Amino acid sequence: MGNVILKYDVDAMLDSFSLTDDEKNILLEKIFLSPLWKDADRGYGFRDVLFHETVKEFSEKLRKVFYALCAVYDFELRFMPLNDGISELIADLKAAGYNVYLLSNVGLGFHLLKEKCPVFSQFDGFYISCDHGYIKPEKEAYETFFSMFSLSPEKCLFIDDSPENISGSEMAGMAAILYDMRKESVDILRNKLSKKNILN
């Protein structure tokens, strides 16, 4: 989902607040790069609960920024805007007879976001890491996904912005395309699909 369907840019998120470089680095190190961030994606709890003890050590300003982020992260599109043209691409894939699934590392708030964002109504199914406890690139994430929808890996194509997740997909027997909307337009993704004889 991140940087394929929706833009996930931590620096841009933090730049929406008036932070010094030191303050940004504290949030990056203590929040976004913390193992607790992945624990949230595994469904162990909401981010504000998991980081409760951590943010006690923050300044009042940083506590307010953290809770402001928690109020919208995973829930709203304000910090994760939709990729221009991605809805049309998904519609074209569907019209060509393909099923489209979401295989994403994301927290419990996604279940609210899914209802608010029309693009997700186009999907045939969802593997959401917080519902299953496995996150990409762990092999169990891909294997659970295949099992859920009775899919053969060799008949699937995975699109992701992370080289590690791409490697995990290929190790699981599923071909993959590396694509990052922060660097590439949807037209470039269409071209990559065309090279695999999809949407010619």
Side-chain angles (χ1 to χ4, degrees), residues 99-155:
N99 288 338
V100 180
Y101 300 91
L102 188 68
L103 170 53
S104 185
N105 294 349
V106 67
L108 293 163
F110 175 79
H111 293 293
L112 295 177
L113 175 64
K114 179 165 69 76
E115 300 305 315
K116 296 179 179 181
C117 186
V119 70
F120 294 117
S121 67
Q122 298 175 276
F123 285 79
D124 294 285
F126 301 86
Y127 173 94
I128 305 303
S129 61
C130 64
D131 291 340
H132 304 283
Y134 303 119
I135 60 175
K136 301 174 295 182
E138 296 167 353
K139 67 177 182 178
E140 292 88 351
Y142 304 98
E143 290 172 350
T144 302
F145 166 71
F146 300 139
S147 177
M148 282 176 64
F149 302 109
S150 300
L151 298 171
S152 300
E154 63 274 10
K155 294 183 179 179

Side-chain angles (χ1 to χ4, degrees), residues 5 35 50 80 112 122 132 136 187 194:
I5 308 298
L50 292 176
M80 294 185 289
L112 295 177
Q122 298 175 276
H132 304 283
K136 301 174 295 182
D187 286 340
S194 178

Side-chain angles (χ1 to χ4, degrees), residues 142-193:
Y142 304 98
E143 290 172 350
T144 302
F145 166 71
F146 300 139
S147 177
M148 282 176 64
F149 302 109
S150 300
L151 298 171
S152 300
E154 63 274 10
K155 294 183 179 179
C156 298
L157 177 66
F158 177 64
I159 302 169
D160 201 278
D161 71 315
S162 163
E164 292 78 14
N165 294 343
I166 292 292
S167 294
S169 174
E170 292 172 341
M171 289 287 290
M174 177 166 56
I177 290 177
L178 182 65
Y179 167 75
D180 188 335
M181 65 175 279
R182 295 170 299 178
K183 305 170 186 175
E184 303 168 300
S185 69
V186 167
D187 286 340
I188 290 177
L189 178 54
R190 283 182 178 273
N191 185 54
K192 291 182 177 185
L193 289 168

Side-chain angles (χ1 to χ4, degrees), residues 53-89:
E53 293 299 321
T54 301
V55 298
K56 282 182 179 179
E57 304 172 2
F58 287 180
S59 67
E60 181 180 359
K61 177 183 178 181
L62 286 187
R63 285 199 301 271
K64 288 181 176 178
V65 170
F66 170 76
Y67 286 114
L69 282 168
C70 282
V72 293
Y73 188 85
D74 289 340
F75 296 88
E76 302 285 351
L77 292 175
R78 179 161 70 118
F79 288 134
M80 294 185 289
L82 187 66
N83 188 359
D84 288 340
I86 197 68
S87 293
E88 293 80 5
L89 174 57

